[in-house]
Structures are given as structure tokens and as C-alpha cells.
Amino acid sequence: MATNLVYRFLAANDFRLLHVSPGEGVQQIHARLSHATVSDDQRLTYETISYAWGDPTPVAEALVNGLPVLIPANTEEVLKRVRLHDRERIIWIDAVCINQIDLHERSAQIVLMGSIYAGSLRNLVFLGELDENMAIRVLGLIEAINQDARLETNDFESLDATLSDNVVSEKRSMTRFAFEVDLEAELSLLELPLLRRLWVLQELVLAPQSVALLGSIELELSDVLLAIRWIKYKQWNLPLPSVALAGRNCGQFLFDFVDRVHGYYAGSRIGLDHLMQCGRIFEKTEPRDGVYAVLGLLPQDQVFDLRPDYTKPLAEVLVSATRSAIDNSQNLELFREIAHREDDLEYGNIPSWAVRVDREFNFLVDGEHLPGYHRLPESSRDVQSIEWERADPMILPVQGITVGNVVEVTAPLQHNRAQRVSADQLNRFCMSLKACCEAAARDCSLEVSLRGLAEVLIAGTSIDGSRADTSAIDAAEELIAYLGEPREPTESSHALRKARVRCEFGSAINRRMFITEDGKPGLGPRVMRQGDLVAVLRGASFPAILRCDPQGRHQLVGEAYLHGIMDGEAEAMLDAMRGRETTFELR
């Protein structure tokens, strides 16, 4: 092909624009490339494109500068959708405007992408091709959902407080939609591939305006994202296929970052630690893009040592990003994103404390965040000064105290593909929990509080997302006692349905419960095991599970919930040990 003839060398701060010739239907794409320069002084007359690449294999042929160029199938589909029938359209689209086989050019152009989107007239967001009937149904659903939100929040005046507040970071509705939801249209909306694409985040945040293209329909992108956010609020416990679940979660992040009025981050300074959460949720085709795809949203003083370079080893990129995020946030909240899988700690070459933004959240094995509304007080989040230059770059020294040693662990709580725990699965888990308590009593003379176990199982959470009340803990306690014995499926199902009216077990999915040497029950990562320790780290608002190695260094296994220290007790422990904390060298 003629790739080398099409792409002329780009000077510093230069980028290419694609002039798409008029055309219709299945006619081949004809276009030409021109060079432009990023400038603060003028706004060029071009539009940017946001879309999901899909399979990046170049299989479709377009004529660019009169020469054949292979592009991905989705790129061809987008170009045919946005080209005009009567005049030229000037756009920027990554798959064509960047020479994708030139790694050095790709790295240099990624640095400019934020400016390219910010300097455009508007951004065209290609949600995907739906048949006309389904597109109309999806549009009708979006309008109905947003009207529901409007009525329930006094014309959106109380939307922010309805979705979250200073106590509960993510509230849940206890009422259903007042209309019959078109479930097929809802799945079509939530499964749109664009919602899960990481690169689209900075594109939507930085563009001066974004217009969504759904089939032949144009609508405001803000309406789409609001509808998805309201679905998450109203239908938080609706069983969904994994792709739809991912779309719903990513859509919530997009709303929180993109909506300049009601988004969770509206008016806030966005840090690398916030954006690395997205790297774990959204899809990317290149592992390093878990870091590189969000850098355009950050000031240069936060990313000076993270300049995109696709020749760097992945471990180096993840370590640099995690260190930078901790340096800039001055806390260890990012450790909430640590989610190890089988063999990561035994055979992986990436430090246990580096956040794995190179891979997406996997509903089959990864656990959701533990609740954050009764975290440790703000005063415990200050991080001691860390002299990075004196340390091995793969070792992170943190300070804290040990608050427990793990003597028993259960099997992990499994779930089905819709991320719902079945009655049979919960029955097996409760029997494993009972066996754990019996072993602790037999081997360590420990008596574990059933009440404490119940609080831990629901991670101190009521079904509306608020702090668990007596009723929720009572329901969990009754369920644990009943399902601790073998039950027939009908018996288990009846008990589970009864309990779900008052409590929810989502925080325990893909996690293990454990017991410490002083009889405290807790909830921890799937990969934890006997012999691990529970620590309170200065700078973190949650207990952490650590694993000591023969050299005296530690691996970070993940976040935990430990009964008896979640309401300020840990702060008192830290204060009592101030100046005498242990330095844990995390590897």
C-alpha cells in the first residue's frame, strides 16, 4: 500500500486534517490530507470524531491523496456516516490523520490530541449504527428516562444531591421507573461500544461541544449520558449482561467527567489518581493507553515524566503513573484500584502496588470497591514525605501499623454472569464461613461475633447505599445463620428473596471473608490467604491486606473492610503510634 507516500513528515505542533470529498451510500471514501498547526490564537474550521475502533485491523480501502490506504472497518463506516453529499467536510479522525504504523509519530500526536479536540468547532460522537426502528426506540427511552429524572429532581435542581452527597458517594433509588422500560432499547443503549472506549473520555471533556450520532438521528450527548447515569441510580440492582454492565459503569464515569453542571467532577480539579480509575474500567487496544489516553486532561506539571512512549516496557509505564498519582494527590486512595488476579503476586513482573490500568475490570473475577462513606477520617490521609530518588523504582515505602493477622479465610463469593449472587452460591459461601468460624474456635480458641459477620458480609451498607441500619444487619445475620447449613434450592431462594428486601451483598462478590487472630471478621480480596496481615496505612482511608516475603518486604494484596475499626478507631490507633509507625517496603 501507499502509506509512506500519503503521510508526509509532521513538524512539532503540526497535525493532519482530512478533507472528505462528497459522497453517498456505498461509494468509496475519497479524501485528501493537509497539515495544520496547534495554535492558541485561532480556531480552525474542522470537526473531530469520537468513535469506537472495534477491530483495528485495516481491511477497508479508502483513497487518500489519490492513493489507496487501508483503514479499519469501523473507520470506514464512520467516514461514510459523516461525509456530506454536496460539499467537502474537514475532520480530524485518529485512524487516518495519524500514521498508525509510526510509533514515534503516534507518541508525538497523542501529546497534541487534547489541543486538537479543544481547538475544533465541535465533536461528532458516533455512537454506532442501529437500524432506524431501534434508533427511534432508544431515543424514546432516553427522553422518557430524562423526563423521569426531571420530575424527580425538581427540574434537575436537586440532581446532584439525589445522586451523591458528602456522606454517600453513590446513592441508590428505592423506587422504580414510573413507566414500562423498553428493555431491548435499554440493552441497545448500554451495549454501544463507544461508551467503553477509554480514548473517548478526554475527547468528550475537551471538545467545545459534542453532538451524538445514533443511526441517522442527531442528539445532544449530554442527554445520552444523563439517561445512563439515571439508569444506574434507578436500576442499580438490575441483572444485566456483562457488556451492558460495563457500558452502564463507563457511561456513569463519562457523565461524572463530561457533564459540566451535574457531573461528580464538575468544577473540581481532576487528578491522575481519578483518571486511573477510568483506565481500569474502560477498554483500550494498547495496554499503555490505560495511562496515555488520559494525559490530555492533566496539567503539564503532573505528566512531565509520563510523556507517551510506546517503546517503554509496560511495567515502567504503570510504575511511573502510580508514583506520579500518589505524588500529586498526596494520599494512597489510588490503592483502592488494586485488583490482583490469580498468579499476579506469585509470577507477575509488575509491582503489587502499581495499578493495573493496562487491563479492564473483569466482572467474573474482580470485586467492586468497598463502600467509602464510613472511611477513616480525612486527618489520617496525610502521606509522609517519600524520598523517591533514594528508593528502588520498583519499591514503594509507606508507613502504617499492623492491626491484625489473618488466621482463617473463606472461599470467594461467586456469582453468575449477570453479577447476581444465586441462592445456591450464597448457601455454599455461608457454609464456608461457618467452617471458618469453627476452625478459628478449634485452632485458636476464638469466638467470632455473628453480628460482626453480618455487618462485614454487607460491608456496613444498606440497600440504598447509606450506612447499614439495624434492620439491614438483622437481615444479614438471619441469613448467615440459616444458610450456614445445607439447604434445598427452594429454601435458599426463599431466604435470599426475604433478605434482599433489607440488605444487599454486592460488596462481597469476588471477595473472601476472613478472621484475624483476635477474632475480628473482615472482607478482603479474592487472592488473600492465611498468614496475610491487615494494616492501616497513613494516607489511605481503608485497611489494606499485605503479604510479607522472606526478605521482610511486603506485597499489597488489596483493600479490606475490618469489623471494629471502620468508625474512627483506626485513626486513634495511628495517632497513638505517630512517629513509631512501621515502614512497609511494598514490592
Side-chain angles (χ1 to χ4, degrees), residues 476-499:
E477 187 174 357
E478 293 168 10
L479 191 68
I480 290 174
Y482 184 75
L483 293 184
E485 304 293 336
R487 301 292 178 186
E488 293 296 323
T490 54
E491 295 174 325
S492 299
S493 296
H494 176 74
L496 182 55
R497 283 196 301 271
K498 180 181 175 182

PDB file of all heavy atoms in Angstrom, residues 476-499:
ATOM      1  N   ALA A 476     -29.075  -9.723  57.435  1.00  0.00           N
ATOM      2  CA  ALA A 476     -27.863 -10.460  57.079  1.00  0.00           C
ATOM      3  C   ALA A 476     -27.535 -11.509  58.132  1.00  0.00           C
ATOM      4  O   ALA A 476     -27.095 -12.621  57.811  1.00  0.00           O
ATOM      5  CB  ALA A 476     -26.697  -9.488  56.909  1.00  0.00           C
ATOM      6  N   GLU A 477     -27.751 -11.180  59.387  1.00  0.00           N
ATOM      7  CA  GLU A 477     -27.477 -12.129  60.476  1.00  0.00           C
ATOM      8  C   GLU A 477     -28.385 -13.352  60.375  1.00  0.00           C
ATOM      9  O   GLU A 477     -27.932 -14.497  60.507  1.00  0.00           O
ATOM     10  CB  GLU A 477     -27.678 -11.429  61.819  1.00  0.00           C
ATOM     11  CG  GLU A 477     -27.275 -12.262  63.016  1.00  0.00           C
ATOM     12  CD  GLU A 477     -27.359 -11.496  64.324  1.00  0.00           C
ATOM     13  OE1 GLU A 477     -27.684 -10.286  64.292  1.00  0.00           O
ATOM     14  OE2 GLU A 477     -27.106 -12.114  65.375  1.00  0.00           O
ATOM     15  N   GLU A 478     -29.663 -13.124  60.131  1.00  0.00           N
ATOM     16  CA  GLU A 478     -30.604 -14.231  59.980  1.00  0.00           C
ATOM     17  C   GLU A 478     -30.226 -15.112  58.798  1.00  0.00           C
ATOM     18  O   GLU A 478     -30.304 -16.350  58.870  1.00  0.00           O
ATOM     19  CB  GLU A 478     -32.014 -13.676  59.794  1.00  0.00           C
ATOM     20  CG  GLU A 478     -32.577 -12.966  61.013  1.00  0.00           C
ATOM     21  CD  GLU A 478     -33.846 -12.176  60.700  1.00  0.00           C
ATOM     22  OE1 GLU A 478     -34.377 -12.344  59.567  1.00  0.00           O
ATOM     23  OE2 GLU A 478     -34.301 -11.392  61.554  1.00  0.00           O
ATOM     24  N   LEU A 479     -29.798 -14.475  57.708  1.00  0.00           N
ATOM     25  CA  LEU A 479     -29.460 -15.235  56.502  1.00  0.00           C
ATOM     26  C   LEU A 479     -28.217 -16.094  56.718  1.00  0.00           C
ATOM     27  O   LEU A 479     -28.172 -17.262  56.314  1.00  0.00           O
ATOM     28  CB  LEU A 479     -29.247 -14.281  55.325  1.00  0.00           C
ATOM     29  CG  LEU A 479     -29.139 -14.940  53.961  1.00  0.00           C
ATOM     30  CD1 LEU A 479     -30.475 -15.542  53.545  1.00  0.00           C
ATOM     31  CD2 LEU A 479     -28.676 -13.939  52.903  1.00  0.00           C
ATOM     32  N   ILE A 480     -27.195 -15.527  57.352  1.00  0.00           N
ATOM     33  CA  ILE A 480     -25.970 -16.290  57.609  1.00  0.00           C
ATOM     34  C   ILE A 480     -26.278 -17.507  58.486  1.00  0.00           C
ATOM     35  O   ILE A 480     -25.797 -18.623  58.228  1.00  0.00           O
ATOM     36  CB  ILE A 480     -24.903 -15.401  58.283  1.00  0.00           C
ATOM     37  CG1 ILE A 480     -24.366 -14.365  57.292  1.00  0.00           C
ATOM     38  CG2 ILE A 480     -23.754 -16.246  58.812  1.00  0.00           C
ATOM     39  CD1 ILE A 480     -23.423 -13.352  57.923  1.00  0.00           C
ATOM     40  N   ALA A 481     -27.080 -17.300  59.524  1.00  0.00           N
ATOM     41  CA  ALA A 481     -27.418 -18.399  60.425  1.00  0.00           C
ATOM     42  C   ALA A 481     -28.187 -19.493  59.695  1.00  0.00           C
ATOM     43  O   ALA A 481     -27.941 -20.692  59.883  1.00  0.00           O
ATOM     44  CB  ALA A 481     -28.228 -17.869  61.609  1.00  0.00           C
ATOM     45  N   TYR A 482     -29.116 -19.090  58.823  1.00  0.00           N
ATOM     46  CA  TYR A 482     -29.954 -20.066  58.121  1.00  0.00           C
ATOM     47  C   TYR A 482     -29.171 -20.793  57.025  1.00  0.00           C
ATOM     48  O   TYR A 482     -29.260 -22.028  56.892  1.00  0.00           O
ATOM     49  CB  TYR A 482     -31.161 -19.355  57.516  1.00  0.00           C
ATOM     50  CG  TYR A 482     -32.152 -20.293  56.855  1.00  0.00           C
ATOM     51  CD1 TYR A 482     -33.006 -21.086  57.616  1.00  0.00           C
ATOM     52  CD2 TYR A 482     -32.218 -20.394  55.466  1.00  0.00           C
ATOM     53  CE1 TYR A 482     -33.906 -21.957  57.011  1.00  0.00           C
ATOM     54  CE2 TYR A 482     -33.112 -21.260  54.854  1.00  0.00           C
ATOM     55  CZ  TYR A 482     -33.957 -22.035  55.628  1.00  0.00           C
ATOM     56  OH  TYR A 482     -34.842 -22.899  55.027  1.00  0.00           O
ATOM     57  N   LEU A 483     -28.374 -20.046  56.247  1.00  0.00           N
ATOM     58  CA  LEU A 483     -27.664 -20.663  55.123  1.00  0.00           C
ATOM     59  C   LEU A 483     -26.326 -21.266  55.535  1.00  0.00           C
ATOM     60  O   LEU A 483     -25.584 -21.771  54.680  1.00  0.00           O
ATOM     61  CB  LEU A 483     -27.448 -19.632  54.004  1.00  0.00           C
ATOM     62  CG  LEU A 483     -28.712 -19.134  53.298  1.00  0.00           C
ATOM     63  CD1 LEU A 483     -28.349 -18.202  52.142  1.00  0.00           C
ATOM     64  CD2 LEU A 483     -29.549 -20.311  52.768  1.00  0.00           C
ATOM     65  N   GLY A 484     -26.008 -21.221  56.808  1.00  0.00           N
ATOM     66  CA  GLY A 484     -24.803 -21.902  57.269  1.00  0.00           C
ATOM     67  C   GLY A 484     -24.948 -23.411  57.267  1.00  0.00           C
ATOM     68  O   GLY A 484     -23.961 -24.134  57.459  1.00  0.00           O
ATOM     69  N   GLU A 485     -26.156 -23.890  57.042  1.00  0.00           N
ATOM     70  CA  GLU A 485     -26.435 -25.317  56.931  1.00  0.00           C
ATOM     71  C   GLU A 485     -26.864 -25.635  55.494  1.00  0.00           C
ATOM     72  O   GLU A 485     -27.370 -24.765  54.782  1.00  0.00           O
ATOM     73  CB  GLU A 485     -27.570 -25.717  57.890  1.00  0.00           C
ATOM     74  CG  GLU A 485     -27.331 -25.360  59.340  1.00  0.00           C
ATOM     75  CD  GLU A 485     -26.192 -26.163  59.949  1.00  0.00           C
ATOM     76  OE1 GLU A 485     -25.901 -27.260  59.426  1.00  0.00           O
ATOM     77  OE2 GLU A 485     -25.612 -25.708  60.953  1.00  0.00           O
ATOM     78  N   PRO A 486     -26.675 -26.879  55.043  1.00  0.00           N
ATOM     79  CA  PRO A 486     -27.130 -27.245  53.695  1.00  0.00           C
ATOM     80  C   PRO A 486     -28.642 -27.042  53.570  1.00  0.00           C
ATOM     81  O   PRO A 486     -29.402 -27.428  54.457  1.00  0.00           O
ATOM     82  CB  PRO A 486     -26.756 -28.726  53.574  1.00  0.00           C
ATOM     83  CG  PRO A 486     -25.689 -28.937  54.607  1.00  0.00           C
ATOM     84  CD  PRO A 486     -26.006 -28.003  55.737  1.00  0.00           C
ATOM     85  N   ARG A 487     -29.064 -26.422  52.492  1.00  0.00           N
ATOM     86  CA  ARG A 487     -30.488 -26.162  52.265  1.00  0.00           C
ATOM     87  C   ARG A 487     -30.883 -26.583  50.858  1.00  0.00           C
ATOM     88  O   ARG A 487     -30.059 -26.588  49.932  1.00  0.00           O
ATOM     89  CB  ARG A 487     -30.796 -24.669  52.442  1.00  0.00           C
ATOM     90  CG  ARG A 487     -30.463 -24.105  53.808  1.00  0.00           C
ATOM     91  CD  ARG A 487     -31.361 -24.669  54.896  1.00  0.00           C
ATOM     92  NE  ARG A 487     -30.995 -24.146  56.219  1.00  0.00           N
ATOM     93  CZ  ARG A 487     -31.530 -24.546  57.347  1.00  0.00           C
ATOM     94  NH1 ARG A 487     -32.479 -25.482  57.338  1.00  0.00           N
ATOM     95  NH2 ARG A 487     -31.138 -24.027  58.507  1.00  0.00           N
ATOM     96  N   GLU A 488     -32.143 -26.938  50.700  1.00  0.00           N
ATOM     97  CA  GLU A 488     -32.679 -27.204  49.378  1.00  0.00           C
ATOM     98  C   GLU A 488     -32.737 -25.892  48.587  1.00  0.00           C
ATOM     99  O   GLU A 488     -32.899 -24.816  49.181  1.00  0.00           O
ATOM    100  CB  GLU A 488     -34.083 -27.807  49.482  1.00  0.00           C
ATOM    101  CG  GLU A 488     -34.123 -29.192  50.088  1.00  0.00           C
ATOM    102  CD  GLU A 488     -33.385 -30.211  49.226  1.00  0.00           C
ATOM    103  OE1 GLU A 488     -33.468 -30.097  47.982  1.00  0.00           O
ATOM    104  OE2 GLU A 488     -32.726 -31.096  49.791  1.00  0.00           O
ATOM    105  N   PRO A 489     -32.611 -25.963  47.256  1.00  0.00           N
ATOM    106  CA  PRO A 489     -32.627 -24.729  46.453  1.00  0.00           C
ATOM    107  C   PRO A 489     -33.837 -23.848  46.713  1.00  0.00           C
ATOM    108  O   PRO A 489     -33.715 -22.615  46.779  1.00  0.00           O
ATOM    109  CB  PRO A 489     -32.607 -25.260  45.014  1.00  0.00           C
ATOM    110  CG  PRO A 489     -31.919 -26.581  45.113  1.00  0.00           C
ATOM    111  CD  PRO A 489     -32.334 -27.157  46.432  1.00  0.00           C
ATOM    112  N   THR A 490     -35.013 -24.448  46.874  1.00  0.00           N
ATOM    113  CA  THR A 490     -36.207 -23.635  47.120  1.00  0.00           C
ATOM    114  C   THR A 490     -36.127 -22.936  48.465  1.00  0.00           C
ATOM    115  O   THR A 490     -36.566 -21.782  48.605  1.00  0.00           O
ATOM    116  CB  THR A 490     -37.477 -24.509  47.063  1.00  0.00           C
ATOM    117  OG1 THR A 490     -37.330 -25.614  47.962  1.00  0.00           O
ATOM    118  CG2 THR A 490     -37.706 -25.031  45.654  1.00  0.00           C
ATOM    119  N   GLU A 491     -35.549 -23.596  49.456  1.00  0.00           N
ATOM    120  CA  GLU A 491     -35.404 -22.987  50.783  1.00  0.00           C
ATOM    121  C   GLU A 491     -34.414 -21.818  50.729  1.00  0.00           C
ATOM    122  O   GLU A 491     -34.662 -20.749  51.294  1.00  0.00           O
ATOM    123  CB  GLU A 491     -34.928 -24.031  51.790  1.00  0.00           C
ATOM    124  CG  GLU A 491     -35.911 -25.160  52.047  1.00  0.00           C
ATOM    125  CD  GLU A 491     -35.332 -26.240  52.948  1.00  0.00           C
ATOM    126  OE1 GLU A 491     -34.112 -26.512  52.852  1.00  0.00           O
ATOM    127  OE2 GLU A 491     -36.098 -26.794  53.745  1.00  0.00           O
ATOM    128  N   SER A 492     -33.287 -22.037  50.047  1.00  0.00           N
ATOM    129  CA  SER A 492     -32.277 -20.983  49.931  1.00  0.00           C
ATOM    130  C   SER A 492     -32.839 -19.777  49.176  1.00  0.00           C
ATOM    131  O   SER A 492     -32.612 -18.626  49.558  1.00  0.00           O
ATOM    132  CB  SER A 492     -31.038 -21.515  49.207  1.00  0.00           C
ATOM    133  OG  SER A 492     -30.444 -22.575  49.909  1.00  0.00           O
ATOM    134  N   SER A 493     -33.556 -20.040  48.107  1.00  0.00           N
ATOM    135  CA  SER A 493     -34.105 -18.945  47.290  1.00  0.00           C
ATOM    136  C   SER A 493     -35.092 -18.112  48.094  1.00  0.00           C
ATOM    137  O   SER A 493     -35.092 -16.873  48.015  1.00  0.00           O
ATOM    138  CB  SER A 493     -34.798 -19.512  46.042  1.00  0.00           C
ATOM    139  OG  SER A 493     -33.869 -20.164  45.217  1.00  0.00           O
ATOM    140  N   HIS A 494     -35.938 -18.781  48.857  1.00  0.00           N
ATOM    141  CA  HIS A 494     -36.915 -18.054  49.674  1.00  0.00           C
ATOM    142  C   HIS A 494     -36.201 -17.175  50.704  1.00  0.00           C
ATOM    143  O   HIS A 494     -36.571 -16.002  50.911  1.00  0.00           O
ATOM    144  CB  HIS A 494     -37.848 -19.036  50.382  1.00  0.00           C
ATOM    145  CG  HIS A 494     -38.816 -18.384  51.311  1.00  0.00           C
ATOM    146  ND1 HIS A 494     -39.911 -17.676  50.862  1.00  0.00           N
ATOM    147  CD2 HIS A 494     -38.834 -18.306  52.681  1.00  0.00           C
ATOM    148  CE1 HIS A 494     -40.571 -17.199  51.907  1.00  0.00           C
ATOM    149  NE2 HIS A 494     -39.943 -17.568  53.020  1.00  0.00           N
ATOM    150  N   ALA A 495     -35.175 -17.712  51.351  1.00  0.00           N
ATOM    151  CA  ALA A 495     -34.444 -16.947  52.368  1.00  0.00           C
ATOM    152  C   ALA A 495     -33.729 -15.756  51.742  1.00  0.00           C
ATOM    153  O   ALA A 495     -33.694 -14.661  52.316  1.00  0.00           O
ATOM    154  CB  ALA A 495     -33.435 -17.859  53.065  1.00  0.00           C
ATOM    155  N   LEU A 496     -33.162 -15.958  50.546  1.00  0.00           N
ATOM    156  CA  LEU A 496     -32.441 -14.874  49.881  1.00  0.00           C
ATOM    157  C   LEU A 496     -33.396 -13.761  49.452  1.00  0.00           C
ATOM    158  O   LEU A 496     -33.103 -12.573  49.625  1.00  0.00           O
ATOM    159  CB  LEU A 496     -31.672 -15.421  48.682  1.00  0.00           C
ATOM    160  CG  LEU A 496     -30.828 -14.411  47.891  1.00  0.00           C
ATOM    161  CD1 LEU A 496     -29.848 -13.685  48.815  1.00  0.00           C
ATOM    162  CD2 LEU A 496     -30.084 -15.114  46.759  1.00  0.00           C
ATOM    163  N   ARG A 497     -34.545 -14.137  48.888  1.00  0.00           N
ATOM    164  CA  ARG A 497     -35.528 -13.113  48.482  1.00  0.00           C
ATOM    165  C   ARG A 497     -35.989 -12.301  49.685  1.00  0.00           C
ATOM    166  O   ARG A 497     -36.141 -11.074  49.608  1.00  0.00           O
ATOM    167  CB  ARG A 497     -36.724 -13.784  47.800  1.00  0.00           C
ATOM    168  CG  ARG A 497     -36.472 -14.213  46.375  1.00  0.00           C
ATOM    169  CD  ARG A 497     -37.783 -14.506  45.657  1.00  0.00           C
ATOM    170  NE  ARG A 497     -38.549 -15.554  46.335  1.00  0.00           N
ATOM    171  CZ  ARG A 497     -38.422 -16.855  46.077  1.00  0.00           C
ATOM    172  NH1 ARG A 497     -37.544 -17.271  45.165  1.00  0.00           N
ATOM    173  NH2 ARG A 497     -39.154 -17.749  46.724  1.00  0.00           N
ATOM    174  N   LYS A 498     -36.194 -12.957  50.794  1.00  0.00           N
ATOM    175  CA  LYS A 498     -36.629 -12.276  52.006  1.00  0.00           C
ATOM    176  C   LYS A 498     -35.556 -11.303  52.498  1.00  0.00           C
ATOM    177  O   LYS A 498     -35.860 -10.161  52.893  1.00  0.00           O
ATOM    178  CB  LYS A 498     -36.936 -13.319  53.085  1.00  0.00           C
ATOM    179  CG  LYS A 498     -37.411 -12.722  54.405  1.00  0.00           C
ATOM    180  CD  LYS A 498     -37.666 -13.835  55.421  1.00  0.00           C
ATOM    181  CE  LYS A 498     -38.033 -13.259  56.784  1.00  0.00           C
ATOM    182  NZ  LYS A 498     -38.225 -14.325  57.791  1.00  0.00           N
ATOM    183  N   ALA A 499     -34.289 -11.726  52.458  1.00  0.00           N
ATOM    184  CA  ALA A 499     -33.201 -10.876  52.952  1.00  0.00           C
ATOM    185  C   ALA A 499     -32.958  -9.683  52.042  1.00  0.00           C
ATOM    186  O   ALA A 499     -32.632  -8.585  52.523  1.00  0.00           O
ATOM    187  CB  ALA A 499     -31.922 -11.701  53.084  1.00  0.00           C
TER     188      ALA A 499
END
